[in-house]
Amino acid sequence: AQEPNTIFAFGTNKGSLGIASVSALGAAKVIFLDHPQSFQEDDDEDWPCWKITHLNWLENCSLAVGLSRVIVDAEAEDDEEDEDDPNEHQASLLMGTMITEGDD
């Protein structure tokens, strides 16, 4: 019987999801997935990319990925006494199931 592959997921510093599959013989395959909304608006290099904050394996090779980003309000005044953050905080949850060879 063939040993199953070990599969693990990780986040990169660019906001991509990496999924690696390592066989019992040590052969590795890595794929990278970007957030579906990871585009830059108006070619702005300072536009915040999504960062992976959570990874959770679920049943049947399903993966939940939590992401967030902060869009800084450049016009907001910095008020040390105001506890409200004037910046826009966005969160996203992606879920997917990996289908491997031999799955029906």
Side-chain angles (χ1 to χ4, degrees):
Q2 183 179 357
E3 295 266 336
N5 290 349
T6 300
I7 299 173
F8 60 97
F10 57 94
T12 70
N13 63 347
K14 302 275 188 193
S16 297
L17 170 67
I19 299 177
S21 175
V22 181
S23 74
L25 300 175
K29 178 181 178 182
V30 179
I31 60 170
F32 293 95
L33 304 170
D34 292 323
H35 187 282
Q37 298 173 335
S38 62
F39 58 86
Q40 290 182 348
E41 292 194 1
D42 301 326
D43 296 324
D44 182 358
E45 292 181 9
D46 293 328
W47 185 253
C49 69
W50 291 94
K51 300 293 184 180
I52 294 175
T53 59
H54 297 82
L55 292 171
N56 188 29
W57 283 108
L58 306 170
E59 295 181 32
N60 301 325
C61 290
S62 294
L63 180 65
V65 181
L67 302 105
S68 69
R69 68 179 177 178
V70 177
I71 299 173
V72 177
D73 184 354
E75 297 176 10
E77 295 181 20
D78 189 18
D79 185 356
E80 295 283 331
E81 295 180 15
D82 188 4
E83 294 182 13
D84 290 334
D85 187 350
N87 302 310
E88 181 180 348
H89 294 253
Q90 297 179 340
S92 181
L93 176 65
L94 301 176
M95 296 183 70
T97 300
M98 295 180 13
I99 299 174
T100 58
E101 292 178 24
D103 288 349
D104 294 326

